[in-house]
Amino acid sequence: MSKYKKHIMVCGGTGCRASESDTIVEKMKKELENRNLDKDVQVVITGCFGLCEKGPIVKMLPDNTIYTEVKPVNVTEIIDEHIIKGRKVKSLLPADSYKGKTDSKNMDSFKKQIRIALKNCGFINPEVIDEYIASNGYEALGKALMEYTPEQTIDIIKKSGLRGRGGGGFPTGLKWEFAAKSKGDQKYVVCNADEGDPGAFMDRSILEGDPHSVLEAMAICGYTMGATEGLIYIRAEYPLAIERLQIAIKQAREYGLLGKNILGSGFDFDIILKLGAGAFVCGEETALIHSMEGLRGEPTIKPPFPAESGYNNMPTNVNNVETFANIPTIINKGAEWFASIGTKKSTGTKVFALAGKINNVGLIEVPMGTTLREVIFEIGGGIQDGKKFKAVQTGGPSGGCLTEKHLDTPIDFDNLIEAGSMMGSGGMIVMDEDDCMVSMAKFYLDFTVEESCGKCAPCRIGNKRLYETLDKITQGKGTEADLDLLRNMSHVIKDTSLCGLGQTSPNPVLSTLDNFWDEYIAHVKDHKCEAGQCKSLLQYNIIAEDCVGCTACARVCPVGCIAGEKKEVHIIDQSICIKCGACMDKCKFNAIELI
Amino acid sequence: MAKVKTLADLRKMKSELRSKIQVRENPENPESIVQIKVGMATSGIASGAKEVYNFFTEELAKRNLSGITIQVGDMGYCYAEPTVEVLVPGKDPIVFGYVDVKKADQIIEKYIKNGELLDGIIPPNYQNINE
């Protein structure tokens, strides 16, 4: 039925377009026309292949051959050899091809992403349990209940090397074992779905795209520790995730996959939802438990750990959404399989939410040990508008920024901590040369100040003082002594805060001080903000030679700080100027500069 | 709804469900149909995925095409929402980005009816562990 017999797909992602993929498309169309092939072969511009470093990419259909680093001069060769004679153009095949991997279906080495936690996301209807069952759903629960003892199940998770994906990176199997060994009349499994980092949406995507995987994993966890009740703590700000979870729970109950005597095993397990009001601190497990109990969402000192005394003072195991989403696959495919992915100490994959100044904003899942360069410049398609990469903030308000020197560091729990950041839950915010790092640190501190529960003084008062000092620097009123103050205060807050929120909140300050010291110095000594974001440090000036005296700027100025007669050079009164930039936008003669 | 009472029941159910899917994906089978998956997580819906979903559902019927529209979760290509995956029996699934009603119409007329591709296809850049 197809009108076209063959298709040539040319990558039209930003990276490939920068290296002339547009010209390639035009030339292909023309050459095909010249050969009277334009009715048989269609040239299609595609989105990013995620192989930007080897671009431009050209993919041939139906045989799925991929050509890399194609230049306009190669077009005729591709058409004459590949299309007409049916021979592959060897010089353009990616290096791997000599191992026999010439088509994209087998080019796994080329695909940087492996989807485990996201395996069903975007493939099945999250509101239909049958689709989940058809893609091997609840098999792992059945297998655990029928074929493994609780101890064996914990052992599989331990051997897999899975570590908590919420940010801490604590070995999951060990956590389960603690909870299993604790004694209590009633035990609880809790799913932490209180995703709160700015720019992070991994957990939401999993819950919206594959809620059953989390339910199944919670039931497996319940089986290993002897819990019959599960609770999902989710923020009310995620209405769609809540709705889909409710549908999933209802369907699982109808099938008897939740409830009494699951699959005839004698094991009972049910799950309810607990809605939170969206406080960042409630991602901390003790605060989360208090919030579920109806108390204020404030952390308490550990020990006792929730594994001994958690929800209702009973043994409780708390895991993050993504951690749970990995469990069914580990049971189905085995611990060795999982441990073979990733690095030795950080096994498996990690989901990241790419945001900020990056071309392919989105949700990705890569094996641990993938480098930042691969994530940002290949999968992420590079920096928007061809700007220069400056830094990436990982781990949200608790993490730090990583810079160019870290680009080739393999991402895993330990490497990121060594580099002064942390894995966090997986938000990655990419910044370019136009971003001011002092303002960035201030943004995160503003968030932390807002979200601090106020229970302990270092966090409540210290973060506020950090914010004020940063604010002072961005106003151009900072001194070098303030930089020492920032550093000292940061260390005190880290060392003395009660919970993870305060212990990590100074990280954005410390890591920017370490990596962008010059930028801080420029702010306090020269009163300059290179990135042009700190408005107080900027000055709008009228260039006398270029000003024609059209009065447009004076008319648009909201505070009337521009004076000058018609056809004469105008002047800005800096003491009144509010730096709104309206004059610069209005000027048709480029006579206003920002210094 | 019948309860799934044993692991054997569950496995039987799985293979039945799978063979149903195979029937609709097998181009040789007269019952094979086009499957359209619309990414409908919050980000997709916010960029208009519901409208696109309704359009496909109504238009497939109006234009006498046998096919189903399925809502799915986030495909990961958030920069190109709404995203839609079209699976024509016997062919590899193809993901289209930035799908609005106009583009959805082109997908039906050009791709589904004629096998013609459209600019803006998103190549899959990951490996999925689902068999």
Side-chain angles (χ1 to χ4, degrees):
Chain A
M1 76 179 184
S2 173
K3 194 168 110 194
Y4 293 102
K5 293 189 185 85
K6 286 177 181 169
H7 294 97
I8 303 176
M9 301 168 84
V10 183
C11 180
T14 320
C16 289
R17 230 182 296 151
S19 39
E20 298 187 289
S21 73
D22 284 353
T23 321
I24 294 174
V25 172
E26 270 169 45
K27 208 170 160 194
M28 284 208 167
K29 286 186 177 165
K30 214 159 120 203
E31 296 291 329
L32 286 170
E33 238 169 84
N34 288 346
R35 289 164 178 72
N36 273 329
L37 286 168
D38 54 319
K39 297 278 181 294
D40 299 316
V41 184
Q42 188 190 8
V43 183
V44 187
I45 303 166
T46 72
C48 184
F49 276 84
L51 301 169
C52 309
E53 291 219 326
K54 296 210 164 54
I57 308 289
V58 171
K59 182 177 171 183
M60 314 295 284
L61 287 181
D63 58 306
N64 282 318
T65 306
I66 284 202
Y67 291 125
T68 54
E69 295 175 77
V70 178
K71 296 187 183 61
V73 292
N74 303 127
V75 167
T76 40
E77 199 183 356
I78 292 179
I79 294 178
D80 290 341
E81 284 293 309
H82 194 112
I83 301 278
I84 298 178
K85 297 182 186 151
R87 288 195 295 234
K88 288 181 178 170
V89 185
K90 286 219 171 84
S91 61
L92 296 174
L93 290 173
D96 305 54
S97 60
Y98 296 108
K99 292 168 210 150
K101 295 175 173 174
T102 44
D103 62 59
S104 71
K105 269 198 167 166
N106 295 321
M107 284 209 342
D108 293 344
S109 59
F110 242 152
K111 291 184 182 167
K112 304 284 178 193
Q113 300 195 60
I114 301 179
R115 286 184 153 206
I116 299 174
L118 297 177
K119 63 182 184 297
N120 290 325
C121 250
F123 291 93
I124 64 166
N125 185 339
E127 297 184 9
V128 178
I129 189 171
D130 283 357
E131 295 211 10
Y132 182 66
I133 292 175
S135 54
N136 228 8
Y138 289 103
E139 168 78 20
L141 175 62
K143 229 171 159 176
L145 292 178
M146 296 301 156
E147 294 168 18
Y148 302 130
T149 63
E151 293 74 27
Q152 283 171 326
T153 314
I154 290 175
D155 215 42
I156 294 172
I157 304 302
K158 269 166 89 177
K159 281 205 184 111
S160 75
L162 176 68
R163 294 169 67 172
R165 297 294 193 250
F170 191 81
T172 307
L174 216 54
K175 206 171 187 179
W176 286 20
E177 193 175 52
F178 289 146
K181 283 184 177 159
S182 292
K183 301 250 177 299
D185 300 335
Q186 174 66 55
K187 294 181 177 183
Y188 298 97
V189 177
V190 173
C191 173
N192 182 349
D194 190 60
E195 182 173 55
D197 303 14
F201 49 90
M202 300 77 52
D203 296 347
R204 174 170 64 70
S205 299
I206 292 173
L207 294 171
E208 288 177 356
D210 192 17
H212 283 285
S213 68
V214 175
L215 305 185
E216 180 180 4
M218 287 177 73
I220 295 170
C221 177
Y223 169 67
T224 63
M225 62 183 277
T228 56
E229 269 186 52
L231 303 104
I232 300 176
Y233 185 80
I234 182 165
R235 44 180 55 215
E237 291 157 328
Y238 281 180
L240 186 65
I242 292 167
E243 189 190 319
R244 295 209 170 137
L245 274 171
Q246 283 165 339
I247 294 170
I249 292 171
K250 184 170 164 270
Q251 291 178 344
R253 280 182 192 150
E254 280 168 359
Y255 271 0
L257 294 166
L258 284 178
K260 299 268 178 225
N261 192 17
I262 296 172
L263 296 173
S265 63
F267 168 64
D268 305 337
F269 192 77
D270 207 354
I271 296 174
I272 56 165
L273 299 185
K274 285 271 185 183
L275 305 193
F280 185 57
V281 73
C282 290
E284 200 281 337
E285 56 184 10
T286 57
L288 182 152
I289 287 167
H290 295 311
S291 172
M292 288 200 308
E293 288 168 341
L295 304 171
R296 275 179 80 144
E298 286 179 340
T300 41
I301 294 171
K302 294 192 275 193
F305 287 92
E308 300 155 34
S309 171
Y311 184 58
N312 292 340
N313 299 321
M314 290 296 163
T316 304
N317 178 63
V318 185
N319 281 132
N320 158 271
V321 171
E322 190 188 332
T323 313
F324 277 128
N326 276 293
I327 301 286
T329 313
I330 294 174
I331 304 281
N332 283 331
K333 295 209 161 205
E336 289 74 24
W337 172 83
F338 190 81
S340 72
I341 299 166
T343 62
K344 211 172 166 214
K345 284 189 173 169
S346 302
T347 56
T349 57
K350 180 77 192 83
V351 181
F352 290 105
L354 287 182
K357 308 268 180 72
I358 191 159
N359 279 316
N360 302 344
V361 168
L363 197 65
I364 64 161
E365 182 168 352
V366 290
M368 296 278 189
T370 305
T371 65
L372 269 181
R373 187 185 299 281
E374 289 170 307
V375 168
I376 296 168
F377 291 96
E378 300 198 11
I379 301 168
I383 309 299
Q384 281 175 3
D385 303 325
K387 295 254 167 112
K388 201 169 170 293
F389 167 78
K390 186 169 188 179
V392 56
Q393 175 81 13
T394 64
S398 308
C401 64
L402 300 169
T403 63
E404 210 163 352
K405 67 172 189 247
H406 302 115
L407 277 179
D408 294 305
T409 309
I411 305 169
D412 68 13
F413 287 105
D414 310 295
N415 280 342
L416 285 189
I417 287 173
E418 209 171 293
S421 183
M422 68 185 277
M423 182 76 80
S425 55
M428 268 199 192
I429 299 177
V430 179
M431 284 160 284
D432 69 6
E433 52 195 317
D434 294 339
D435 289 307
C436 162
M437 301 316 280
V438 184
S439 306
M440 196 276 294
K442 192 177 100 173
F443 166 80
Y444 281 113
L445 259 298
D446 186 27
F447 178 83
T448 323
V449 168
E450 192 80 12
E451 294 293 339
S452 169
C453 75
K455 183 171 180 178
C456 69
C459 179
R460 180 184 69 242
I461 303 169
N463 282 322
K464 181 82 179 158
R465 293 293 97 82
L466 271 186
Y467 173 79
E468 286 166 357
T469 312
L470 288 166
D471 190 46
K472 196 172 139 195
I473 295 171
T474 60
Q475 301 276 341
K477 294 173 193 153
T479 62
E480 276 181 80
D482 285 328
L483 302 186
D484 289 334
L485 179 70
L486 278 180
R487 196 179 284 277
N488 290 339
M489 229 169 7
S490 292
H491 285 297
V492 173
I493 297 169
K494 269 177 92 77
D495 292 343
T496 55
S497 287
L498 176 61
C499 81
L501 196 155
Q503 286 159 12
T504 57
S505 60
N507 282 353
V509 179
L510 287 172
S511 79
T512 47
L513 279 172
D514 287 342
N515 291 306
F516 296 97
W517 177 252
D518 292 348
E519 209 168 313
Y520 276 91
I521 289 290
H523 276 78
V524 296
K525 263 183 143 175
D526 312 329
H527 304 287
K528 281 251 157 25
C529 175
E530 284 287 334
Q533 280 202 332
C534 297
K535 291 236 159 106
S536 311
L537 302 184
L538 303 175
Q539 207 177 53
Y540 286 91
N541 250 351
I542 295 178
I543 309 166
E545 300 90 79
D546 295 335
C547 178
V548 297
C550 71
T551 73
C553 57
R555 275 181 280 133
V556 78
C557 177
V559 289
C561 73
I562 305 180
E565 293 299 316
K566 260 187 196 167
K567 297 192 178 163
E568 275 174 30
V569 174
H570 283 50
I571 294 166
I572 300 175
D573 184 345
Q574 300 295 343
S575 62
I576 308 173
C577 174
I578 55 162
K579 289 152 192 173
C580 66
C583 53
M584 197 169 171
D585 292 339
K586 197 77 190 174
C587 182
K588 286 182 188 150
F589 305 95
N590 291 327
I592 297 177
E593 62 180 350
L594 191 61
I595 51 173
Chain B
M1 224 184 272
K3 294 231 177 207
V4 189
K5 292 203 180 82
T6 62
L7 181 57
D9 274 2
L10 180 76
R11 287 180 175 157
K12 198 176 139 219
M13 198 171 156
K14 177 173 74 187
S15 64
E16 279 169 12
L17 288 165
R18 277 198 183 164
S19 57
K20 256 192 223 164
I21 292 172
Q22 274 158 7
V23 165
R24 65 183 195 211
E25 287 178 1
N26 181 1
E28 308 295 319
N29 197 299
E31 285 169 53
S32 72
I33 50 168
V34 176
Q35 291 176 64
I36 299 170
K37 295 180 176 178
V38 184
M40 285 172 79
T42 301
S43 52
I45 293 173
S47 6
K50 262 189 186 156
E51 204 189 336
V52 172
Y53 177 88
N54 293 338
F55 180 83
F56 274 119
T57 318
E58 287 159 20
E59 292 301 313
L60 284 178
K62 271 192 210 159
R63 301 181 197 186
N64 280 327
L65 292 164
S66 59
I68 46 165
T69 320
I70 305 163
Q71 65 160 345
V72 296
D74 197 331
M75 298 185 200
Y77 312 106
C78 310
Y79 64 95
E81 295 287 7
T83 46
V84 169
E85 184 185 282
V86 182
L87 181 57
V88 174
K91 290 192 185 179
D92 284 338
I94 293 210
V95 178
F96 296 91
Y98 306 105
V99 180
D100 51 14
V101 167
K102 203 175 138 208
K103 187 131 183 209
D105 179 62
Q106 290 177 345
I107 292 174
I108 298 179
E109 290 303 317
K110 291 194 171 161
Y111 180 62
I112 298 177
K113 285 191 179 169
N114 280 323
E116 216 178 304
L117 295 180
L118 300 173
D119 284 348
I121 285 171
I122 302 176
N125 61 353
Y126 54 81
Q127 192 192 334
N128 202 314
I129 55 111
N130 258 357
E131 46 282 285

